[in-house]
Amino acid sequence: MLSLNMVAMAYLIASVLIIFALKGLASPETARRGNFFGMLGMGIAALVTLQLDSVQNYAWIVAALAVGGLFGGVTARKVPMTHMPQTVAFMHSLVGLSAVLIAVSAFIDPVSYGIADAHGGLYPASRIELFLGTFIGAITFTASLIAFGKLQGLLSGKPLVFGGQHWLNLVLGLVMIAAGILFCVTQGMTPFLIMLAVAMVLGVLLIVPIGGADMPVIVSMLNSYSGWAAAGIGFTLGNNMLIVAGALVGSSGAILSYIMCKAMNRSLFSVLLGGFGGEAAAAGGGSVGERPVHSGAAEDAVFLLKNARSVVIVPGYGLAVARAQHALKELVDVLLKMDVNVKFAIHPVAGRMPGHMNVLLAEADVPYDIVYEMDEINPEFSDTDVVLVIGANDVINPAAKTDPSSPIYGMPILEVGKAEHVIVIKRSLAAGYAGLDNDLFYMDKTMMLFADAKKACETMLQSLD
Amino acid sequence: MSAPEMTQAVAQAATGHAAHAAVDPFVFSFTVFVLAVIVGYHVVWNVTPALHTPLMSVTNAISSIIIVGALLAAGPVEMSLATVLGLIAVGLAAVNIFGGFMVTQRMLAMFKKRSRG
């Protein structure tokens, strides 16, 4: 049994290790070591807690750890990289749910947490902290579940909008706060449960109006919430380790949300209001497909690629859907052998979560030093012979620069139109997730290759050999 | 507040020996919280965008540090509703800890440099 000071010191060491885990992610070279520090920190925190006098229920705890750990471990090994966004959303919901369970447990039995006053009730400060921890946890839980359902395809990815939606959310938000305040004053079970239930409903309502293309923001935001929930529980328990870890995760998710919003030129508020894409799709629907395009076969694309000195490949969510990353990588290998200079260009919001495309390319063994971020690659497009766009649409739409009436006006894009030739692999001329037509498809220099991304890559590979 | 005064105030908060009245533990926790947010802000801005997905999966594992709270809830030997809820929370947090760190490790192992030569 360590003294309480020793325990606090051990928690401090664990906190520092966790900061190093995040610091390691500054570069792929240090990231693996960083992750190891993270595991070490987590291990220390858990072991130190397990040896506390108040923790005695070892058999059951080990059983719970084994079941959870096994499930988590198997999932981590099996999950395909294309499914990372929903996996992360699912895990956020687990953090939210455990925060709620811990809060309820602390509410039922405050004595074992040392947050009870002389009469066995909760201190006023603890009540406020419990209120915050519970409602953030509850919103994180249900909101992440809905995000998971949308990303996994269990629920429609389309925004669900109805009249009075925002008023309903506002009223529910006020009810939740009122019940929370009532709980803080009276310590009553009923207001506590009402607050919990309303927070859960609110979590669902917050996510239903949000469409697929906004998911990177939402997943980042829920990442942030899960951190704040952990910090909230840390306040309840007066545990600095939880506060530090929660605050780190909270600010990390907040920064990612900010980066994603900026990459779409939208405010977090407008993303949360939701409905993006629904109306625009209805308005722009008529003209789509009526203008002439140059469409070509895989052989034509291969001809262009073979004779190019420099090729930039722009992958989008369509690549993930078609699981074309491995076929694409083989194509790139052949081109590299032919001394074609191949680079990848990644828009910050490509895919369904921050960094999604980078992971898919890494999975297919594409070396990370030929993968470039938007700001690095944009000046290079004017010197590029061929741009190959696979399953991306809105992030290359020139309307973002030229058409002030466009819903995506002002969004930074990959300026592929500056290249000599553009090849776009797409299944059809259907609009992107923002529901917009794309002028790039109708330019003289653009060749449309209508096919499934994976099939297109395979056919191109065959005609290259 | 000058730097030495600040140090003194933090030290007082830490030890609870304030000159006039004891500092509420909440204030101390809040100090830690604010400083941690600032550390997080600086560390996360330095994360390369290519690793944003591993960042999310590892922060997922890290936020499961609430397992500390779950273990306290599950701690008492006598089973009660509070203990059972704690045990479930231990299991859920364990899913995230093992799943989060392992999937991060798996992703990071994929990031390779181009082998020249």
Side-chain angles (χ1 to χ4, degrees):
Chain A
M1 168 68 193
L2 298 169
S3 76
L4 283 179
N5 283 334
M6 299 275 280
V7 170
M9 289 309 276
Y11 282 154
L12 173 63
I13 292 168
S15 309
V16 172
L17 285 170
I18 282 169
I19 292 172
F20 280 136
L22 295 182
K23 209 169 151 50
L25 290 168
S27 118
E29 276 136 59
T30 54
R32 263 160 282 181
R33 194 180 55 205
N35 197 42
F36 177 72
F37 284 146
M39 294 185 202
L40 195 64
M42 185 62 71
I44 291 175
L47 285 177
V48 163
T49 313
L50 274 172
Q51 62 79 52
L52 290 175
D53 268 348
S54 62
V55 180
Q56 296 294 343
N57 200 1
Y58 294 117
W60 282 102
I61 287 175
V62 169
L65 282 174
V67 173
L70 195 68
F71 179 72
V74 171
T75 311
R77 282 173 155 269
K78 290 268 163 72
V79 63
M81 286 298 134
T82 42
H83 286 191
M84 273 322 288
Q86 50 268 52
T87 308
V88 165
F90 177 69
M91 292 172 112
H92 289 153
S93 79
L94 294 186
V95 179
L97 181 56
S98 13
V100 169
L101 293 176
I102 295 167
V104 174
S105 169
F107 173 71
I108 301 173
D109 183 16
V111 182
S112 65
Y113 288 94
I115 51 172
D117 60 20
H119 312 287
L122 286 155
Y123 289 121
S126 303
R127 286 177 226 158
I128 299 170
E129 289 154 5
L130 202 57
F131 164 47
L132 292 174
T134 309
F135 96 77
I136 300 173
I139 289 181
T140 310
F141 169 47
T142 52
S144 302
L145 268 191
I146 300 296
F148 166 75
K150 287 193 168 203
L151 289 164
Q152 179 74 23
L154 300 174
L155 301 169
S156 161
K158 289 218 175 75
L160 173 70
V161 206
F162 52 86
Q165 194 164 25
H166 304 312
W167 288 110
L168 177 66
N169 289 350
L170 184 67
V171 170
L172 284 175
L174 291 174
V175 169
M176 184 187 77
I177 292 170
I181 292 172
L182 197 62
F183 159 71
C184 290
V185 176
T186 63
Q187 294 195 49
M189 174 78 120
T190 316
F192 182 80
L193 292 179
I194 291 176
M195 183 263 290
L196 183 59
V198 174
M200 286 195 178
V201 174
L202 208 51
V204 174
L205 289 176
L206 280 176
I207 306 301
V208 290
I210 292 164
D214 283 342
M215 274 303 159
V217 184
I218 293 307
V219 175
S220 314
M221 197 187 73
L222 294 170
N223 184 235
S224 181
Y225 282 9
S226 72
W228 303 133
I233 296 297
F235 275 108
T236 313
L237 307 182
N239 185 317
N240 285 334
M241 164 91 241
L242 263 68
I243 295 176
V244 170
L248 291 172
V249 176
S251 49
S252 165
I255 289 172
L256 288 177
S257 318
Y258 171 79
I259 294 174
M260 293 300 114
C261 283
K262 222 173 140 94
M264 297 196 298
N265 191 38
R266 306 186 52 204
S267 69
L268 186 57
F269 189 66
S270 80
V271 171
L272 290 180
L273 284 180
F276 191 64
E279 299 146 41
S287 66
V288 173
E290 284 165 18
R291 286 193 280 168
V293 296
H294 304 275
S295 76
E299 288 73 24
D300 306 319
V302 165
F303 179 78
L304 282 176
L305 290 171
K306 251 196 323 203
N307 292 299
R309 279 171 301 113
S310 55
V311 171
V312 174
I313 300 176
V314 178
Y317 185 57
L319 179 87
V321 174
R323 301 191 184 211
Q325 66 268 36
H326 297 283
L328 176 62
K329 152 74 171 152
E330 286 182 45
L331 182 69
V332 169
D333 279 345
V334 176
L335 289 174
L336 284 172
K337 272 202 199 108
M338 299 168 87
D339 273 331
V340 180
N341 182 7
V342 184
K343 290 176 178 175
F344 284 84
I346 300 202
H347 192 278
V349 292
R352 284 292 177 269
M353 75 186 290
H356 192 185
M357 288 299 131
N358 301 78
V359 169
L360 289 186
L361 294 178
E363 185 195 20
D365 277 330
V366 174
Y368 64 80
D369 43 358
I370 64 167
V371 180
Y372 292 83
E373 304 303 324
M374 178 170 65
D375 295 339
E376 296 171 320
I377 199 87
N378 260 345
E380 292 190 27
F381 279 116
S382 46
D383 291 328
T384 302
D385 296 328
V386 179
V387 171
L388 178 62
V389 178
I390 304 180
N393 189 348
D394 297 330
V395 298
I396 52 163
N397 193 338
K401 297 208 99 158
T402 54
D403 178 9
S405 69
S406 168
I408 59 167
Y409 182 69
M411 167 172 145
I413 55 161
L414 289 161
E415 294 164 4
V416 300
K418 288 187 177 164
E420 191 80 22
H421 297 280
V422 180
I423 304 170
V424 179
I425 300 180
K426 225 175 162 301
R427 267 180 307 199
S428 69
L429 267 184
Y433 280 89
L436 302 170
D437 204 3
N438 194 333
D439 282 338
L440 185 84
F441 300 160
Y442 308 101
M443 284 164 77
D444 274 339
K445 61 170 78 168
T446 306
M447 188 183 93
M448 301 297 290
L449 180 53
F450 292 113
D452 169 78
K454 191 173 174 187
K455 285 226 180 69
C457 289
E458 286 165 354
T459 332
M460 284 196 283
L461 195 62
Q462 279 164 8
S463 51
L464 255 181
D465 290 339
Chain B
M1 209 190 269
S2 72
E5 274 174 343
M6 193 111 90
T7 321
Q8 201 191 358
V10 173
Q12 281 173 351
T15 56
H17 294 309
H20 306 289
V23 175
D24 191 280
F26 172 81
V27 178
F28 182 45
S29 293
F30 193 67
T31 311
V32 171
F33 176 74
V34 172
L35 295 179
V37 168
I38 293 170
V39 170
Y41 178 86
H42 285 283
V43 172
V44 172
W45 270 116
N46 277 329
V47 172
T48 172
L51 295 181
H52 276 164
T53 298
L55 172 67
M56 297 197 82
S57 61
V58 83
T59 48
N60 226 312
I62 291 172
S63 54
S64 302
I65 189 76
I66 48 169
I67 196 165
V68 168
L71 287 171
L72 292 176
V77 183
E78 312 87 64
M79 280 291 188
S80 66
L81 180 57
T83 336
V84 172
L85 293 177
L87 281 171
I88 299 173
V90 169
L92 296 178
V95 173
N96 265 7
I97 292 174
F98 285 87
F101 280 120
M102 282 172 73
V103 86
T104 308
Q105 195 72 3
R106 193 177 138 207
M107 275 191 270
L108 292 176
M110 292 170 181
F111 280 82
K112 292 186 200 86
K113 248 195 167 144
R114 190 175 174 185
S115 48
R116 290 170 210 274

